[in-house]
Amino acid sequence: MTTVTYSEYIASLPKILSGANVLFRDADGRVLIAETTYREDGKWTLPGGTVESDTGETPRQGAHRETLEEIGLDIEPGQLLAVDWVRGPGRPPLVSYLYDGGVLDEARQSAIQLQAEELSAWLMVTPSEAEPYLSPGLHRRIIAALDALESGTGTAELEDGHPARRA
Protein backbone atom coordinates (compact mmCIF):
# COMPACT_ATOMS: atom_id res chain seq x y z
CA MET A 1 0.00 0.00 0.00
CA THR A 2 1.36 3.40 -1.01
CA THR A 3 0.80 6.37 1.24
CA VAL A 4 0.49 9.74 -0.48
CA THR A 5 0.22 13.18 1.01
CA TYR A 6 -2.94 15.21 0.59
CA SER A 7 -1.20 17.53 -1.89
CA GLU A 8 0.00 14.52 -3.93
CA TYR A 9 -3.53 13.17 -3.96
CA ILE A 10 -4.96 16.51 -5.11
CA ALA A 11 -2.28 16.79 -7.81
CA SER A 12 -3.24 13.32 -9.08
CA LEU A 13 -6.91 14.22 -9.65
CA PRO A 14 -8.26 15.01 -13.12
CA LYS A 15 -8.09 18.64 -14.19
CA ILE A 16 -11.19 20.60 -15.15
CA LEU A 17 -11.17 24.11 -16.63
CA SER A 18 -13.80 26.68 -15.71
CA GLY A 19 -15.18 29.64 -17.64
CA ALA A 20 -17.96 32.14 -17.10
CA ASN A 21 -19.82 34.37 -19.54
CA VAL A 22 -22.62 36.91 -19.39
CA LEU A 23 -25.60 37.04 -21.76
CA PHE A 24 -26.66 40.62 -22.47
CA ARG A 25 -29.80 41.43 -24.44
CA ASP A 26 -31.49 44.54 -25.79
CA ALA A 27 -35.16 45.52 -25.66
CA ASP A 28 -35.76 43.72 -28.97
CA GLY A 29 -34.39 40.39 -27.69
CA ARG A 30 -31.11 40.58 -29.56
CA VAL A 31 -27.96 39.29 -27.82
CA LEU A 32 -24.53 40.86 -27.56
CA ILE A 33 -21.74 38.88 -29.22
CA ALA A 34 -18.09 39.87 -29.54
CA GLU A 35 -15.39 39.18 -32.10
CA THR A 36 -12.16 37.94 -30.56
CA THR A 37 -8.63 38.76 -31.69
CA TYR A 38 -7.23 35.41 -30.55
CA ARG A 39 -9.47 32.63 -31.88
CA GLU A 40 -7.96 30.76 -34.79
CA ASP A 41 -11.39 29.57 -35.98
CA GLY A 42 -12.75 33.12 -36.31
CA LYS A 43 -15.75 32.38 -34.10
CA TRP A 44 -17.24 35.10 -31.91
CA THR A 45 -18.11 34.76 -28.23
CA LEU A 46 -19.93 36.32 -25.29
CA PRO A 47 -18.30 38.63 -22.76
CA GLY A 48 -16.50 36.47 -20.22
CA GLY A 49 -13.62 34.07 -19.98
CA THR A 50 -11.54 31.89 -17.71
CA VAL A 51 -12.35 31.75 -14.02
CA GLU A 52 -9.15 32.39 -12.07
CA SER A 53 -9.92 29.75 -9.47
CA ASP A 54 -6.27 29.52 -8.40
CA THR A 55 -6.71 32.97 -6.84
CA GLY A 56 -9.99 32.00 -5.16
CA GLU A 57 -12.21 33.60 -7.81
CA THR A 58 -15.71 32.14 -8.16
CA PRO A 59 -17.50 31.75 -11.53
CA ARG A 60 -19.78 34.72 -10.72
CA GLN A 61 -16.80 36.89 -9.79
CA GLY A 62 -14.99 35.79 -12.95
CA ALA A 63 -17.97 36.69 -15.13
CA HIS A 64 -18.14 40.14 -13.52
CA ARG A 65 -14.38 40.76 -13.81
CA GLU A 66 -14.21 39.58 -17.41
CA THR A 67 -17.21 41.71 -18.42
CA LEU A 68 -15.62 44.79 -16.90
CA GLU A 69 -12.25 44.04 -18.54
CA GLU A 70 -13.59 43.08 -21.96
CA ILE A 71 -16.45 45.50 -22.60
CA GLY A 72 -16.04 48.08 -19.83
CA LEU A 73 -19.43 47.49 -18.18
CA ASP A 74 -19.51 47.15 -14.40
CA ILE A 75 -22.67 45.05 -14.14
CA GLU A 76 -23.17 42.35 -11.53
CA PRO A 77 -24.21 39.10 -13.21
CA GLY A 78 -27.79 38.08 -12.58
CA GLN A 79 -29.34 34.63 -12.50
CA LEU A 80 -27.29 31.60 -13.51
CA LEU A 81 -28.98 30.55 -16.76
CA ALA A 82 -26.91 27.56 -17.87
CA VAL A 83 -24.09 25.26 -16.80
CA ASP A 84 -22.43 23.36 -19.63
CA TRP A 85 -19.91 20.47 -19.45
CA VAL A 86 -17.86 21.07 -22.61
CA ARG A 87 -15.49 18.47 -24.00
CA GLY A 88 -12.77 19.52 -26.41
CA PRO A 89 -9.78 18.05 -28.18
CA GLY A 90 -6.39 18.70 -26.64
CA ARG A 91 -7.65 20.08 -23.34
CA PRO A 92 -9.40 18.99 -20.15
CA PRO A 93 -13.19 19.35 -19.94
CA LEU A 94 -14.51 22.87 -19.36
CA VAL A 95 -17.38 23.77 -17.06
CA SER A 96 -18.97 26.86 -18.57
CA TYR A 97 -21.27 29.07 -16.48
CA LEU A 98 -23.63 31.45 -18.30
CA TYR A 99 -25.19 34.31 -16.34
CA ASP A 100 -27.95 36.76 -17.19
CA GLY A 101 -26.60 40.24 -17.87
CA GLY A 102 -30.03 41.79 -18.30
CA VAL A 103 -31.25 44.20 -20.93
CA LEU A 104 -28.84 46.89 -22.10
CA ASP A 105 -30.49 50.20 -22.94
CA GLU A 106 -28.95 52.56 -25.51
CA ALA A 107 -26.91 54.40 -22.87
CA ARG A 108 -25.30 51.17 -21.66
CA GLN A 109 -24.63 50.06 -25.22
CA SER A 110 -22.99 53.43 -25.94
CA ALA A 111 -20.75 52.93 -22.89
CA ILE A 112 -19.25 49.69 -24.21
CA GLN A 113 -15.47 49.97 -24.54
CA LEU A 114 -13.73 46.94 -25.99
CA GLN A 115 -10.50 45.58 -24.57
CA ALA A 116 -8.43 45.88 -27.77
CA GLU A 117 -6.07 43.03 -26.82
CA GLU A 118 -8.92 40.50 -26.86
CA LEU A 119 -11.92 41.94 -28.74
CA SER A 120 -12.19 43.79 -32.03
CA ALA A 121 -15.95 44.27 -32.52
CA TRP A 122 -19.36 43.65 -31.00
CA LEU A 123 -22.86 43.26 -32.39
CA MET A 124 -26.42 42.95 -31.13
CA VAL A 125 -28.01 40.14 -33.15
CA THR A 126 -31.05 37.91 -32.93
CA PRO A 127 -30.37 34.40 -31.66
CA SER A 128 -30.83 33.02 -35.17
CA GLU A 129 -28.54 35.69 -36.69
CA ALA A 130 -25.89 34.76 -34.08
CA GLU A 131 -25.62 31.15 -35.24
CA PRO A 132 -23.04 31.55 -38.04
CA TYR A 133 -20.84 33.73 -35.82
CA LEU A 134 -20.64 31.27 -32.93
CA SER A 135 -19.43 27.76 -32.29
CA PRO A 136 -22.35 25.31 -32.39
CA GLY A 137 -22.01 24.54 -28.67
CA LEU A 138 -22.07 28.20 -27.64
CA HIS A 139 -25.08 28.86 -29.85
CA ARG A 140 -26.94 25.93 -28.27
CA ARG A 141 -25.94 27.22 -24.80
CA ILE A 142 -27.38 30.66 -25.61
CA ILE A 143 -30.65 29.16 -26.88
CA ALA A 144 -30.94 26.99 -23.75
CA ALA A 145 -30.23 30.00 -21.53
CA LEU A 146 -32.85 32.13 -23.29
CA ASP A 147 -35.36 29.28 -22.98
CA ALA A 148 -34.60 28.96 -19.25
CA LEU A 149 -35.00 32.70 -18.80
CA GLU A 150 -38.30 32.81 -20.69
CA SER A 151 -39.81 29.71 -19.11
CA GLY A 152 -38.60 30.40 -15.59
CA THR A 153 -37.63 26.73 -15.18
CA GLY A 154 -34.25 27.51 -13.63
CA THR A 155 -30.72 26.82 -14.73
CA ALA A 156 -30.27 24.65 -17.82
CA GLU A 157 -27.92 21.71 -17.27
CA LEU A 158 -26.06 21.00 -20.50
CA GLU A 159 -23.44 18.68 -21.95
CA ASP A 160 -21.71 20.13 -25.01
CA GLY A 161 -24.64 22.51 -25.37
CA HIS A 162 -27.27 19.76 -25.31
CA PRO A 163 -29.67 19.07 -22.42
CA ALA A 164 -27.98 16.68 -19.98
CA ARG A 165 -29.32 13.14 -20.08
CA ARG A 166 -30.97 12.07 -16.89
CA ALA A 167 -30.65 8.51 -15.69
Side-chain angles (χ1 to χ4, degrees):
M1 178 174 172
T2 303
T3 304
V4 296
T5 66
Y6 182 72
S7 60
E8 290 171 328
Y9 168 71
I10 294 298
S12 74
L13 294 175
K15 305 300 181 251
I16 299 171
L17 305 174
S18 181
N21 298 88
V22 180
L23 181 62
F24 293 104
R25 303 171 318 283
D26 68 9
D28 296 323
R30 297 179 300 173
V31 297
L32 186 152
I33 60 172
E35 182 178 29
T36 68
T37 59
Y38 54 84
R39 285 190 66 142
E40 294 176 6
D41 63 4
K43 294 297 183 182
W44 291 40
T45 191
L46 298 174
T50 301
V51 176
E52 297 176 359
S53 58
D54 59 334
T55 65
E57 185 174 68
T58 67
R60 181 175 294 279
Q61 291 167 337
H64 180 246
R65 176 187 52 77
E66 287 280 354
T67 297
L68 181 58
E69 289 175 2
E70 290 185 349
I71 63 173
L73 297 182
D74 189 3
I75 298 174
E76 286 293 329
Q79 173 186 347
L80 178 61
L81 299 175
V83 175
D84 196 357
W85 180 267
V86 184
R87 298 166 187 94
R91 65 161 172 75
L94 167 70
V95 177
S96 182
Y97 298 83
L98 182 52
Y99 294 94
D100 183 14
V103 175
L104 297 178
D105 60 19
E106 288 184 28
R108 285 268 170 104
Q109 290 181 45
S110 296
I112 292 174
Q113 296 181 355
L114 297 179
Q115 180 185 36
E117 299 83 34
E118 292 189 22
L119 301 178
S120 56
W122 66 275
L123 292 171
M124 296 298 287
V125 294
T126 67
S128 61
E129 290 169 339
E131 187 171 11
Y133 289 92
L134 306 171
S135 69
L138 177 56
H139 186 255
R140 290 190 300 268
R141 189 175 317 129
I142 290 170
I143 297 303
L146 291 170
D147 289 347
L149 189 61
E150 184 177 328
S151 68
T153 55
T155 306
E157 180 187 357
L158 307 171
E159 295 173 1
D160 301 315
H162 299 284
R165 294 178 294 274
R166 297 185 184 176

